[in-house]
Amino acid sequence: MIKNKNQINNTIIISPPQCGKTTILRDIVRNISNGNREYGFSGVKVALIDERNEIAGSCMGVAQLDVGMRTDVMETCPKDLGIMMVLRSMSPNVIVTDEIGNEKEIKALYTALNGGVSLITTVHGDSIEDILHRTELKRLLDGDLFRKVIILSSRNGPGTIEKIYDLQEKRWYFGN
C-alpha cells in the first residue's frame, strides 16, 4: 500500500460481511499514521471518517482504539459529508472510511482524489467481478480512483487475504 516514503496508494478492500474489513482497516490506519521504519515510511496525516464509530470506538470525542498518532477521527458523520469537511478543514494526506456504498459517497471520493488526497476504503463484495456487476459500485474499479484492490475472506479465519490486484498495471500481486 505504501507508494513512497510520504504517499499511500489509493486502496479498496473488498470482502463479504464478517471477514475482517473493519479490523484490518483499523490496523492500516494506525500503521500509516504512526509510520513504519522497516519500510522507511515516516507516517502521514490521516482523516478517519468513522460513521458508525466502529473503527476508532470514540467516546466523548476520544478514540478508544489505537488509530495512530497522526489520525483525526470524524465520528458519527455521514461519509460523504465527513469527506468534504476534512478536505476543507484538516488537510489530510489520506482519507479512510469503511463500507462505501452509494453515489453520494462515491462522488465525495472523487472530490478527494481531485484534491490530491490518498484514499483507503472498504466495500461489501465477494470479488472484483461482484463489484463490477453492481452499477453503483462499478465506478470504483474503473482504474482512476483506486490502484490497489485487496480481496478478503474468512477461509482461514477473518482477515484472510485472498488476492491483491493492481488496477493500473492490471496484474495480480498475490493470488491467481
Side-chain angles (χ1 to χ4, degrees):
M1 293 180 66
I2 298 172
K3 188 176 191 175
N4 60 45
K5 68 179 187 168
N6 296 320
Q7 286 187 306
I8 299 294
N9 280 305
N10 294 347
T11 303
I12 186 166
I13 301 167
I14 301 171
S15 96
Q18 301 296 305
C19 289
K21 287 185 301 295
T22 302
T23 301
I24 284 180
L25 195 60
R26 182 181 310 113
D27 289 343
I28 289 169
V29 168
R30 182 180 58 255
N31 282 292
I32 63 174
S33 175
N34 290 341
N36 185 309
R37 288 185 187 176
E38 181 181 341
Y39 293 103
F41 183 71
S42 57
V44 294
K45 293 185 295 181
V46 178
L48 173 60
I49 314 303
D50 196 3
E51 184 176 19
R52 289 179 310 278
N53 209 12
E54 294 176 318
I55 304 167
S58 296
C59 179
M60 297 181 67
V62 178
Q64 301 301 298
L65 301 169
D66 186 1
V67 290
M69 64 184 175
R70 292 180 190 89
T71 302
D72 290 309
V73 180
M74 177 73 66
E75 62 177 285
T76 62
C77 177
K79 290 181 276 283
D80 57 316
L81 296 176
I83 290 168
M84 302 310 292
M85 289 166 53
V86 299
L87 273 174
R88 291 186 184 116
S89 63
M90 293 184 170
S91 67
N93 299 101
V94 181
I95 293 176
V96 178
T97 189
D98 205 6
E99 299 179 7
I100 288 295
N102 67 46
E103 189 61 34
K104 287 184 351 184
E105 294 167 353
I106 294 168
K107 273 182 143 171
L109 291 176
Y110 274 96
T111 301
L113 179 68
N114 290 333
V117 177
S118 296
L119 304 166
I120 301 172
T121 192
T122 67
V123 66
H124 284 289
D126 295 319
S127 64
I128 289 175
E129 295 75 25
D130 181 27
I131 302 305
L132 290 172
H133 285 98
R134 292 164 51 195
T135 308
E136 71 282 2
L137 297 178
K138 186 176 180 177
R139 287 179 53 196
L140 294 173
L141 301 179
D142 66 8
D144 292 333
L145 191 54
F146 293 102
R147 171 136 194 189
K148 303 291 183 187
V149 179
I150 300 171
I151 312 291
L152 299 180
S153 79
S154 60
R155 184 172 47 90
N156 294 322
T160 301
I161 297 175
E162 292 290 338
K163 300 175 183 178
I164 300 174
Y165 187 73
D166 188 302
L167 285 165
Q168 290 178 347
E169 293 180 12
K170 305 222 183 298
R171 72 174 229 170
W172 293 100
Y173 280 95
F174 181 82
N176 273 19

